[in-house]
Amino acid sequence: MEATKKPGFATRAIHDGQAPDQSTGAVNVPIYLTSTYQQEEIGKNKGHEYARLTNPTRDALEESLCSLEGGTSAHVFGSGMAAITALCTMMKSGDHVVCSDNVYGGTGRLFDKVLTNYGLTFTYVDTSVAENVAAAITPATKLVHIETPTNPMMSLTDIGAVARICHAKGVELSVDNTFLSPYLQQPIALGADIVMHSTTKFLNGHSDGLGGVLICTKPEHAETFRFVQKCTGGILSPFESYLLLRGVKTLAVRMKQHDANGRVVADFLKGHAKVQQVFYPGLVEHPQHELAKRQQHGFGSMISMELGSLEKANKFAKALRLGLLAESLGGVETLICHPATMTHAAVGAEGRARLRITDGLMRVSVGIEDVEDIVADLGQALDKI
Ligand SMILES: *Cc1c(COP(=O)(O)O)cnc(C)c1O
């Protein structure tokens, strides 16, 4: 029926789910600070009963994020970890999950330290080799969960290839798309069943609120996760839903600049004498550069580099003037972290050795400051090593 072309990404990021308020014409979705809703008569309401179930600000956000990832429903939670926890309620005791061996530290911790207590089992494989996924799937496997690129080694997984393996065996595929955002990678279009984000990162983009989302493709997902929001209550507040809606409006322009700055910084680091190795899918030396070009719409702004030792990493960190030494990523400001003692401390020395996360590795989330200033700051700090 519709002959008109679907609006572009930036247009959808600004308008989808965010029509002007019907009663006042306000161009922004109001923050509905209400826990309950007046009912007209017994058994009759205006579509809202209680704010753990629905809130108009949160509903608007879910519609917006659903549109950007190309799903059929979206469900937001109080943090990325709350979203992954909700994802795992799809399973019951005895079910098995195959997971990338290099996932976000908190994901592995949730799986191994909490969910194994409820009879779920997890197998970790290097999903950059798709055949490893096929070999790890058992009759009990219900879900394959991957991250691409991985943190902090920037290893990629071929989403389409893994999706085909999963679907041939009746298993669902979820993709944590936090590192690229839907602007740079759309896993559902490549075959994923569910996309997950820590919205805390690029989707929010301003380092001022936590959040998580599951974007789904099937009616039974929508039913499950709406029910989970209601039953477990780990939902996103109206205020943080508003912050996220506001952040998403500029996602396209921010990601363009993150990607442009990321490329310049990676090239600079590659040529710097104090940097032993750079991990960035945009470099032709990256072993999966061709895959990055094929499945991503850009390379993003997450870069890791090897400085050689903890002492050198610390000298670099202390000399930074613009870049901020901090956990997290995806903000407008350049954030720099030391995975061995920060994001991957809980993995243990043995685990880090297996993942090749050395004490000299630093991860840079390149911000959208003027790139000359970012390069100058990194350069002066590297020179102090
Ligand atoms: C931060 C992060 C998470 C966890 O999200 P929170 O919002 O901190 O709970 C999960 N996955 C990835 C890739 C992340 O970077």
Side-chain angles (χ1 to χ4, degrees):
M1 300 262 297
E2 279 278 35
T4 48
K5 197 169 150 282
K6 182 172 155 188
F9 187 96
T11 305
R12 284 182 287 128
I14 293 168
H15 293 286
D16 281 10
Q18 308 191 56
D21 181 51
Q22 290 220 329
S23 59
T24 63
V27 297
N28 285 302
V29 176
I31 306 174
Y32 284 89
L33 291 176
T34 190
S35 58
T36 190
Y37 307 86
Q38 184 193 26
Q39 309 201 2
E40 288 155 63
E41 57 182 80
I42 292 174
K44 191 167 171 214
N45 59 54
K46 295 190 163 81
H48 300 282
E49 291 165 66
Y50 187 61
R52 175 154 34 76
L53 283 61
T54 57
N55 175 286
T57 319
R58 200 175 86 216
D59 297 349
L61 172 65
E62 289 178 340
E63 190 179 333
S64 165
L65 297 179
C66 182
S67 164
L68 297 182
E69 282 287 4
T72 55
S73 73
H75 311 275
V76 295
F77 297 90
S79 67
M81 289 321 302
I84 299 179
T85 304
L87 173 69
C88 290
T89 64
M90 283 170 65
M91 286 169 290
K92 56 183 181 355
S93 179
D95 287 346
H96 174 245
V97 178
V98 176
C99 184
S100 298
D101 63 0
N102 201 346
V103 279
Y104 179 72
T107 302
R109 184 172 55 201
L110 169 72
F111 289 175
D112 295 340
K113 304 260 157 75
V114 180
L115 297 177
T116 50
N117 295 332
Y118 297 86
L120 299 183
T121 57
F122 299 89
T123 301
Y124 298 91
V125 297
D126 177 358
T127 57
S128 69
V129 181
E131 293 71 40
N132 290 344
V133 176
I137 289 176
T138 73
T141 308
K142 285 279 151 39
L143 184 73
V144 171
H145 180 73
I146 64 170
E147 247 171 63
T148 177
T150 58
N151 174 30
M153 304 312 293
M154 307 302 153
S155 151
L156 306 191
T157 292
D158 185 331
I159 297 172
V162 171
R164 283 189 292 279
I165 289 168
C166 289
H167 296 156
K169 302 201 178 204
V171 172
E172 293 201 292
L173 172 65
S174 59
V175 179
D176 182 336
N177 200 26
T178 301
F179 265 39
L180 288 174
S181 91
Y183 185 74
L184 294 177
Q185 178 167 273
Q186 296 177 354
I188 290 173
L190 299 168
D193 300 286
I194 296 174
V195 171
M196 176 259 144
H197 281 275
S198 165
T199 64
T200 311
K201 317 296 167 51
F202 288 102
L203 284 169
N204 171 301
H206 298 73
S207 306
D208 59 7
L210 295 179
V213 66
L214 299 175
I215 297 122
C216 307
T217 55
K218 296 175 186 162
E220 56 268 31
H221 295 150
E223 204 180 312
T224 301
F225 297 124
R226 216 172 280 134
F227 191 63
V228 169
Q229 285 180 316
K230 173 171 152 175
C231 292
T232 65
I235 46 133
L236 195 67
S237 74
F239 182 65
E240 281 177 317
S241 294
Y242 166 78
L243 285 178
L244 204 40
L245 273 173
R246 181 180 163 101
V248 162
K249 285 188 186 182
T250 56
L251 185 65
V253 285
R254 282 190 287 109
M255 292 315 295
K256 267 183 214 155
Q257 198 60 49
H258 276 298
D259 182 55
N261 286 5
R263 293 171 194 233
V264 172
V265 169
D267 274 336
F268 169 74
L269 295 175
K270 191 179 86 172
H272 197 286
K274 298 285 171 67
V275 178
Q276 298 176 0
Q277 199 178 350
V278 180
F279 303 88
Y280 182 66
L283 294 176
V284 289
E285 296 84 353
H286 189 284
Q288 295 160 300
H289 180 62
E290 289 306 315
L291 174 61
K293 283 203 288 194
R294 188 152 41 84
Q295 84 176 359
Q296 304 178 181
H297 307 303
F299 304 116
S301 68
M302 297 304 299
I303 303 170
S304 292
M305 60 179 164
E306 179 56 53
L307 299 183
S309 69
L310 178 61
E311 193 199 343
K312 288 176 176 169
N314 205 27
K315 274 194 183 142
F316 166 76
K318 284 206 286 204
L320 290 166
R321 292 184 195 141
L322 178 69
L324 305 172
L325 181 68
E327 303 234 9
S328 201
L329 58 113
V332 290
E333 60 287 283
T334 296
L335 295 170
I336 296 172
C337 107
H338 182 245
T341 58
M342 295 163 97
T343 54
H344 287 69
V347 173
E350 216 174 277
R352 287 196 296 277
R354 193 165 23 83
L355 298 171
R356 300 185 315 276
I357 301 171
T358 62
D359 287 350
L361 191 78
M362 295 297 291
R363 187 191 76 188
V364 185
S365 168
V366 180
I368 57 170
E369 301 97 337
D370 290 299
V371 74
E372 309 78 59
D373 294 332
I374 301 171
V375 164
D377 184 46
L378 296 173
Q380 66 80 26
L382 286 169
D383 292 341
K384 305 264 165 38
I385 292 178

